[in-house]
Amino acid sequence: MKSFSSITGLVSGIGSIVLWLVMIFFNPYSSPVHIDTKVLTFVMIGLPACLAILASLLARAALMLAAFIWSLPVSLYLLMTPGIFSLFGVTCALYLISFIVMVSVRAR
């Protein structure tokens, strides 16, 4: 189960980073994005994704929970949008699943 939580965290973190890159540089739904939007979305989506990857590699449940809570507001907002960016909600949910599995493995 430990490897399942690590793989889930890694896949969701990498998926969030890929989705963020698509949203910023190849967004099919809007015109080019301004620099403040790039910075804000990186802080709210990119950094938690990096934290989730780190939490997966170190097997730290607290870091995974922090990544989930940090990215939750923007992920919920993007979950309500049409198109591929609603997948941010899925990656955020995977952070939570990875956290739950990490905690359950540790409890055994």
Side-chain angles (χ1 to χ4, degrees):
M1 286 302 259
K2 185 177 179 181
S3 64
F4 175 75
S5 65
S6 295
I7 291 171
T8 304
L10 282 172
V11 167
S12 59
I14 292 169
S16 288
I17 291 172
V18 168
L19 281 170
W20 178 78
L21 289 171
V22 169
M23 182 171 69
I24 295 303
F25 297 110
F26 308 106
N27 193 339
Y29 304 112
S30 72
S31 59
V33 179
H34 298 350
I35 188 70
D36 5 333
T37 306
K38 290 178 185 177
V39 171
L40 179 66
T41 56
F42 180 73
V43 168
M44 295 303 292
I45 296 171
L47 288 180
C50 294
L51 185 62
I53 292 170
L54 182 66
S56 295
L57 295 175
L58 299 177
R60 303 282 186 191
L63 293 178
M64 190 61 73
L65 180 62
F68 167 72
I69 293 171
W70 188 355
S71 66
L72 184 62
V74 173
S75 296
L76 285 177
Y77 173 76
L78 291 171
L79 184 64
M80 302 301 169
T81 62
I84 64 169
F85 302 123
S86 62
L87 290 175
F88 280 114
V90 174
T91 60
C92 187
L94 288 174
Y95 295 161
L96 180 61
I97 291 169
S98 180
F99 165 73
I100 291 169
V101 172
M102 283 181 187
V103 169
S104 68
V105 166
R106 185 179 299 162
R108 289 182 181 195

